[in-house]
Amino acid sequence: ARAPGTGTATSRIEWTANDFTVVNRPDLQIIADGSGTVAFADKKLLLAGKISIDKGRVAYEPTRVGTLSDDVVIVGQPRAAPDARGDLPLALDIEVSLGRDFRFSGEGLETRLGGKVNVVTTADGSLNARGTIYAVGGTYFVFGQRLDIDRGRVIFDGPLNNPALDVVALRKNLAVEA
């Protein structure tokens, strides 16, 4: 097929997933439903649709090895290549919903997650997101204390790597709640 008025060849596939196991590892399990399209036009892969992750488990274990910042230069070693986001041949427009049974554990946080985020690729190739992921119940262990999460939200309204955090976690059932 050709894109209307362009003379450029395109391909388009419609997809549907029901109880599709995306990943099934001990530390990461994702089972999803969804539908959408995959197309190829103007030398880019276009992926659009809606995905609902009805069951998921994420057991986050951070790497203990430190890494240097991107702006650190080591004498005698080549400089890192500049960010080439604009050359990414992928355009996304995906709505991701966290459904009835998506759980996260790691870094002291144990909670069920819910919410919806729409991820899109901008003209310069960067990823933007709009939506909110929220904690449903859950606890946070820090400094030897167990905190109950009253409100926990990660709010996306712009670059994917720069969300806003809205968190209230309290020590409860003590003489003094803090």
Side-chain angles (χ1 to χ4, degrees):
R2 297 201 182 273
T6 65
T8 304
T10 62
S11 300
R12 179 183 165 106
I13 298 171
E14 293 194 24
W15 59 270
T16 301
N18 292 312
D19 290 329
F20 178 71
T21 301
V22 179
V23 180
N24 192 13
R25 299 186 333 214
D27 62 334
L28 180 62
Q29 179 187 46
I30 296 176
I31 299 174
D33 296 337
S35 63
T37 59
V38 177
F40 187 76
D42 298 326
K43 298 182 182 178
K44 283 200 175 204
L45 184 63
L46 313 171
L47 179 59
K50 293 182 178 187
I51 299 171
S52 176
I53 301 174
D54 290 327
K55 184 175 183 179
R57 301 276 183 278
V58 177
Y60 176 72
E61 185 67 37
T63 58
R64 299 292 180 205
V65 177
T67 59
L68 297 173
S69 175
D70 293 341
D71 62 348
V72 173
V73 177
I74 299 173
V75 176
Q77 296 204 5
R79 292 180 182 245
D83 190 0
R85 283 185 303 211
D87 296 336
L88 185 65
L90 177 66
L92 295 176
D93 186 359
I94 298 288
E95 181 181 281
V96 179
S97 302
L98 301 181
R100 57 183 158 69
D101 189 18
F102 190 92
R103 299 195 175 274
F104 178 89
S105 65
E107 293 288 322
L109 179 63
E110 300 277 340
T111 188
R112 187 170 75 78
L113 297 176
K116 186 184 303 186
V117 175
N118 191 56
V119 180
V120 297
T121 306
T122 63
D124 71 351
S126 63
L127 294 176
N128 273 8
R130 301 241 185 290
T132 303
I133 301 297
Y134 53 88
V136 180
T139 57
Y140 182 54
F141 293 94
V142 64
F143 302 121
Q145 300 292 316
R146 177 181 179 245
L147 305 176
D148 293 311
I149 299 171
D150 273 2
R151 180 179 66 234
R153 300 185 303 166
V154 180
I155 304 162
F156 296 92
D157 188 24
L160 183 64
N161 63 355
N162 191 24
L165 298 176
D166 178 18
V167 179
V168 175
L170 304 169
R171 282 188 346 189
K172 294 188 173 184
N173 301 322
L174 298 172
V176 176
E177 290 187 354

